[in-house]
Amino acid sequence: MSLPTDGLRQVALPFVIFTLIWGSTWIVIKDQLGVVPAPWSVTYRFIIAAAGMALVARWKGESLKPTPGFLGAAAIVGLSQFCFNFNGVYAAEHHITSGLVATVFALLMLPNALLGWWWLGQRPNARFILATLVATAGIGLLFLHELRERPDLTLTALMIGVGWTIFALLAAAVSNVYQARDSVKRFPLFSLLAWAMAIGAVADGIIAYALHGAPTVEWRWGYWAGLLWLAIAASVVCFSLYYPVVRRIGPGKAAYSSAMVPIVAMALSTLFEGFRWTSLSLAGAGVAFLGLVLALWSRQRPMKVTNPDAG
């Protein structure tokens, strides 16, 4: 891929920022599981995030007033990304480690690329396919490492956890690719995200009440610090950066951040959880990174998309 002269600011730098932040979320999400049922934690997260994204939209000069077709698009993004995806991730971490969830979720590039081909006509080229295969091999090595480190993991827990993760990544892929369609790109991006997060929060609250009854609150400072990090940094900041990158380079390449997230998560786990690197995990990280490099440097025609930063 040939980046424009301002590609560093519009693609590479945002890519690094949201990859590093999302790499930290898996440990934080694990800490959220406990007193407060997971669907309520997701609800609180996106109530805060919706308010934050609304402020971003107004700062960008975007109107929050819905136009014809706007709320339907926001509902699809909100339900798929901010309801089904995140409830799936939180549910998965009840059964398997955060590192394993992050590793399986790294396969997001596959449904992103396939849906991008189907919905957007962005047919992957040979180098991109090779890069995907290389990165997938690296993710497979990381997956094997995680399984070897969990001899206590039962087959039932593994199947349930992986099942929820696959459900979550498919929901994320639908949102990633859908918002890059021409019929959706005509809507102001940050206003769309604010409404999508608000709709997602309502749906999350309905699910939480149906499954667990009235809201539960935990007053531990670590819980609220983690919740604010997930709502502001991992939701408002990251999605403000991620979706413009999707629109510029396509959902397949943008999802390669997911291949790096497990490596970041494992690095942080080394610092805070005593994670031990082995030859298998090092090989997996190296191969996954090689796949990322091949993907980002694969050549294709530049995408003609509206830059959300303009105007």
Side-chain angles (χ1 to χ4, degrees), residues 103 132-143 280-281 283-289:
T103 301
T132 299
L133 292 175
V134 170
T136 301
I139 293 166
L141 293 176
L142 293 173
F143 185 84
L280 192 61
S281 60
V287 173
F289 184 75

Side-chain angles (χ1 to χ4, degrees), residues 106-132:
L107 295 173
L108 175 64
M109 61 188 136
L110 296 178
N112 262 21
L114 292 174
L115 282 176
W117 186 3
W118 181 23
W119 285 354
L120 307 178
Q122 297 174 1
R123 183 174 182 175
N125 58 27
R127 185 179 294 186
F128 180 83
I129 294 173
L130 173 61
T132 299

Side-chain angles (χ1 to χ4, degrees), residues 24-74:
S24 72
T25 60
W26 304 96
I27 292 177
V28 179
I29 289 174
K30 198 72 175 180
D31 183 66
Q32 297 277 294
L33 304 176
V35 175
V36 180
W40 277 121
S41 288
V42 178
T43 303
Y44 303 153
R45 172 177 178 172
F46 287 109
I47 289 174
I48 298 170
M53 190 62 76
L55 293 176
V56 172
R58 297 301 300 142
W59 175 59
K60 289 285 188 177
E62 295 182 359
S63 172
L64 292 170
K65 184 178 180 180
T67 54
F70 178 91
L71 289 180

